[in-house]
Amino acid sequence: MRIALNYRVIKYSGIGAYTKYLAEGYMRLGQEVFLYDDILDSSDNGLRKYINTIKRVIKDITMLSKWLKNHSIDLYHVPKNTGVPFFSPVPVVVTIHDVIPHVFPKQYFKNDFERLYYELSIKHSITKSKKIITVSEFSKKEIINAYGVDASKIAVVLNAYNSAFKLIEDSSFLEAVRKKYNLKEKYILALGGSEYRKNIQRLIRVYIAHFSQTYQLVVIGGKWRDVDLSRQFASEKNIYFLTNVPEEDLVAIYNMATVFVFPSFYEGFGIPVLEGMACGVPVVTSNVSSIPEVGGDAAVYFNPYDEDDMAAKIHNVLEDEFLQKKMVARGLEKIKEYSWDKCAKETLQVYEEVLNSK
């Protein structure tokens, strides 16, 4: 197959990482991949977002078709929910990772126009693509429920995690990271900053009520839109918000945590669950959306809307060293089910299905 992958979002967010790891997986499998990257400004701020959309549509009409033909491409894959071209000389596959804005419109749209723009963009991706890839059975059900898509059009190909997340045996490096970030011997780790669906504010309330006398709380991530929990809870001495943490330091911070708590109430997949397991830390997380599908029996689950349940489950893990060891062992076994090479191989199988059905 001669395949092309839209590489526009490579510098941006988790979808950029998905695109990068997919391309690298293809190369390791010996599959040549052509990267379409016209270096468009991907800003989503204000009017510029819509101007860039118009520019993209014009470029796709005037340049993409020609580019696909010149490179004798058989299939074009758009890995970013939206951006499927209006016209394409070859079949198009799109990855729709989740429908978070559709589920939480009040939190993710500034106005009705933004919401309409999003809905039209997603519906266009669904209509113009030959096949939709999504990253969990949960996301597949959500896409079907939200947009009435025929289930046969959607293929589930599970995400994976970055192999840089692993056990660290170098105690001197771990200690250096501990000192660098002023981390205590015992701390609860969380990830998500101030983003609404990550549910960190509820976790902080639980922490203050039950664990602040014994454990430090370390939160990776900062401000989200107009919400800044680090300011809101600035008076709490044992709560640390860390931003712009280099990857190697983040891996060490995972490794040293007593427990990793991921209280999100909506994930299309939930890669941090695997990151925590890969770093040998017990994972206590939400029992909703895709998270139990990803974590299986290697995590302990709570109702993310119930602070008493959250507190009880975290407490059970913190107080039971045998349970911690069992969770770590199960987590290290669970992550073997996920790899970007497996993701790439199964994605190539979707391409073959599309091409064989022409």
Side-chain angles (χ1 to χ4, degrees):
M1 293 181 291
R2 292 177 67 84
I3 59 174
L5 188 61
N6 185 307
Y7 223 55
R8 281 177 174 147
V9 293
I10 191 59
K11 297 178 182 178
Y12 304 92
S13 72
I15 295 177
Y18 165 83
T19 307
K20 175 177 177 287
Y21 295 139
L22 203 56
E24 291 173 349
Y26 292 157
M27 289 183 276
R28 285 192 296 271
L29 293 170
Q31 170 64 57
E32 185 177 18
V33 57
F34 295 83
L35 305 177
Y36 181 69
D37 182 2
D38 53 11
I39 326 233
L40 271 177
D41 181 359
S42 295
S43 170
D44 60 358
N45 295 322
L47 184 60
R48 185 180 298 176
K49 172 180 179 178
Y50 307 107
I51 293 173
N52 288 336
T53 298
I54 295 171
K55 287 182 178 179
R56 177 184 60 77
V57 170
I58 293 172
K59 281 196 172 188
D60 285 350
I61 293 172
T62 59
M63 296 175 56
L64 177 59
S65 292
K66 183 179 180 181
W67 184 89
L68 293 170
K69 289 177 180 178
N70 287 345
H71 290 83
S72 300
I73 299 299
D74 297 315
L75 181 143
Y76 180 55
H77 183 181
V78 177
K80 182 191 172 290
N81 297 342
T82 59
V84 172
F86 279 78
F87 307 102
S88 173
V90 301
V92 178
V93 170
V94 65
T95 299
I96 299 179
H97 299 260
D98 54 61
V99 290
I100 290 168
H102 177 87
V103 177
F104 305 107
K106 291 182 180 179
Q107 288 76 27
Y108 286 87
F109 298 120
K110 295 178 181 177
N111 52 56
D112 289 341
F113 182 75
E114 278 198 355
R115 183 174 184 177
L116 177 63
Y117 170 83
Y118 168 84
E119 295 292 353
L120 290 175
S121 298
I122 287 287
K123 289 176 182 177
H124 174 79
S125 291
I126 291 169
T127 302
K128 290 292 185 178
S129 59
K130 291 292 184 182
K131 197 81 173 181
I132 298 166
I133 293 173
T134 195
V135 296
S136 65
E137 291 292 341
F138 169 77
S139 279
K140 178 178 179 177
K141 291 176 183 176
E142 290 289 273
I143 294 168
I144 291 170
N145 291 338
Y147 299 106
V149 183
D150 190 319
S152 64
K153 188 173 182 176
I154 306 174
V156 175
V157 179
L158 300 178
N159 272 341
Y161 68 99
N162 183 350
S163 59
F165 289 84
K166 59 186 178 182
L167 294 173
I168 297 177
E169 297 179 357
D170 186 347
S171 58
S172 61
F173 174 67
L174 292 175
E175 192 57 33
V177 172
R178 187 186 298 279
K179 290 180 179 179
K180 178 179 178 180
Y181 295 98
N182 196 26
L183 304 176
K184 293 185 177 179
E185 191 66 29
K186 297 193 295 184
Y187 62 87
I188 297 167
L189 177 65
L191 184 148
S194 303
E195 185 176 353
Y196 168 73
R197 66 188 171 89
K198 299 300 184 180
N199 203 25
I200 297 299
Q201 186 165 357
R202 186 174 276 113
L203 172 61
I204 290 175
R205 291 199 297 267
V206 168
Y207 166 78
I208 292 171
H210 299 276
F211 306 109
S212 60
Q213 299 302 312
T214 310
Y215 294 89
Q216 184 182 43
L217 176 62
V218 177
V219 180
I220 305 297
K223 182 179 178 181
W224 182 73
R225 300 193 174 180
D226 296 326
V227 181
D228 190 349
L229 295 179
S230 65
R231 285 192 175 186
Q232 188 175 334
F233 294 96
S235 62
E236 298 292 333
K237 296 180 180 179
N238 281 336
I239 301 178
Y240 282 22
F241 280 82
L242 303 179
T243 58
N244 301 316
V245 179
E247 182 178 84
E248 61 178 5
D249 289 358
L250 179 57
V251 175
I253 292 170
Y254 265 115
N255 268 259
M256 294 185 291
T258 309
V259 65
F260 173 54
V261 181
F262 191 60
S264 174
F265 46 73
Y266 195 98
E267 296 290 325
F269 184 80
I271 290 176
V273 170
L274 299 182
E275 292 175 345
M277 291 177 180
C279 292
V281 59
V283 176
V284 188
T285 184
S286 301
N287 62 2
V288 297
S289 70
S290 65
I291 299 173
E293 180 183 342
V294 173
D297 66 353
V300 167
Y301 300 95
F302 53 73
N303 179 342
Y305 301 97
D306 185 335
E307 294 183 17
D308 290 337
D309 188 39
M310 188 186 299
K313 297 299 173 53
I314 295 171
H315 181 268
N316 289 346
V317 175
L318 289 174
E319 296 301 311
D320 190 336
E321 290 187 12
F322 176 77
L323 176 59
Q324 291 175 25
K325 291 178 181 178
K326 184 170 70 172
M327 291 174 67
V328 168
R330 285 181 175 178
L332 292 172
E333 195 63 30
K334 183 65 177 176
I335 61 170
K336 294 178 183 178
E337 299 175 15
Y338 302 92
S339 77
W340 287 112
D341 282 354
K342 180 182 178 183
C343 177
K345 182 178 180 181
E346 292 180 5
T347 304
L348 289 175
Q349 290 171 353
V350 174
Y351 297 167
E352 290 172 353
E353 177 189 338
V354 169
L355 293 174
N356 289 336
S357 66
K358 289 173 61 177

